[in-house]
Amino acid sequence: MSRILAIARLQALGRRDGLLWPLVIAAIAFSVNLLVFAAIGDEALDGTEPITGGLASIYIAALAFGAVAISQQFPFALGMSVTRREFAAGLGVFVFGQSLLYSVILTVCQAIENATDGWGMRLRFFGLGFIDEVGVPGQLAVYGVPMLAMSLIGVTLGTIHIHWKVNGVFATTAGLILVLGGLAALLTWTRSWPAIWRWLGDQPVLVLFGLLPLGLALALTLASWATLRRATA
């Protein structure tokens, strides 16, 4: 356990920029939205509180840095006689801690946004509308579990790159496009989209943004470990 925690600390030190950049990117997106809403004015909003969608920037950045973590840290860890199991466990601790930290920050920002009526201009950047339906623990899950899943998507892509290089990443991407595109075509042909949207609309918030992303995170964990245990630096 001490070695795993040491590896997690190594991840934190080695990825200090990776911890900060998603927050910097989100802060830039937030600042741009503030300027846009200030220029629009309350009259143009006509009493509405639109959600900007800019919050997605921090999740995309987490995915990118999840992939970078593998390519930068894995060869160094093997050179320091760290086993693959220890590296994977340490990385898991780090990614979980990162997701928890970001979820706390976003929950606090969302509370401030609500208290100030959208920063005084009805701007909804951190708030997702439906998130007020759940308490603080639920809000932490709504923000944190998708963040964990996005980071693990990046980690999985990183392990594929370590094992099969660029061709593996492109082959995986092409395969996903074929599978998802084929599934979309099948659902369109069978006219199943309305039933799917109804089913999704009937699900509680914590199922859509908690349990489903958690299931994806578990699947990605298994996939990344299966690839990483056979990878070489």
Side-chain angles (χ1 to χ4, degrees):
M1 179 58 70
S2 61
R3 284 176 62 86
I4 291 173
L5 293 178
I7 296 168
R9 287 194 295 270
L10 173 66
Q11 289 284 340
L13 292 174
R15 291 187 62 208
R16 189 173 300 165
D17 292 342
L19 282 170
L20 293 177
W21 269 112
L23 296 177
V24 171
I25 292 172
I28 292 173
F30 175 61
S31 300
V32 170
N33 279 275
L34 279 179
L35 293 175
V36 170
F37 270 65
I40 291 175
D42 288 344
E43 296 80 6
L45 295 177
D46 193 25
T48 62
E49 293 185 346
I51 299 173
T52 67
L55 188 61
S57 59
I58 193 173
Y59 289 86
I60 296 172
L63 184 154
F65 281 104
V68 171
I70 295 293
S71 61
Q72 287 186 344
Q73 297 289 337
F74 182 68
F76 175 76
L78 290 187
M80 297 296 292
S81 300
V82 174
T83 67
R84 288 168 175 77
R85 188 181 299 275
E86 290 169 342
F87 177 81
L91 179 60
V93 171
F94 173 82
V95 169
F96 179 82
Q98 180 190 44
S99 301
L100 179 60
L101 173 64
Y102 287 171
S103 69
V104 171
I105 293 174
L106 295 178
T107 299
V108 171
C109 289
Q110 189 267 157
I112 296 173
E113 187 171 271
N114 282 348
T116 58
D117 191 24
W119 312 97
M121 56 186 75
R122 296 204 297 275
L123 165 63
R124 293 302 168 192
F125 183 87
F126 298 99
L128 302 175
F130 55 81
I131 200 169
D132 293 331
E133 300 174 10
V134 297
V136 172
Q139 292 174 8
L140 291 172
V142 167
Y143 285 122
V145 178
M147 177 70 68
L148 179 64
M150 290 294 284
S151 295
L152 287 171
I153 290 174
V155 168
T156 303
L157 290 175
T159 59
I160 291 172
H161 180 266
I162 285 288
H163 193 11
W164 290 292
K165 309 306 179 186
V166 175
N167 287 334
V169 175
F170 280 115
T172 301
T173 303
L176 286 174
I177 292 174
L178 286 174
V179 171
L180 295 178
L183 180 60
L186 177 62
L187 293 175
T188 302
W189 180 58
T190 58
R191 294 179 173 84
S192 300
W193 285 113
I196 291 176
W197 294 125
R198 283 195 301 271
W199 182 83
L200 290 174
D202 291 339
Q203 301 307 307
V205 171
L206 291 179
V207 171
L208 290 178
F209 293 90
L211 290 180
L212 294 182
L214 182 60
L216 175 61
L218 292 175
L220 291 169
T221 299
L222 295 175
S224 59
W225 168 242
T227 306
L228 189 66
R229 65 186 299 183
R230 295 176 175 82
T232 56

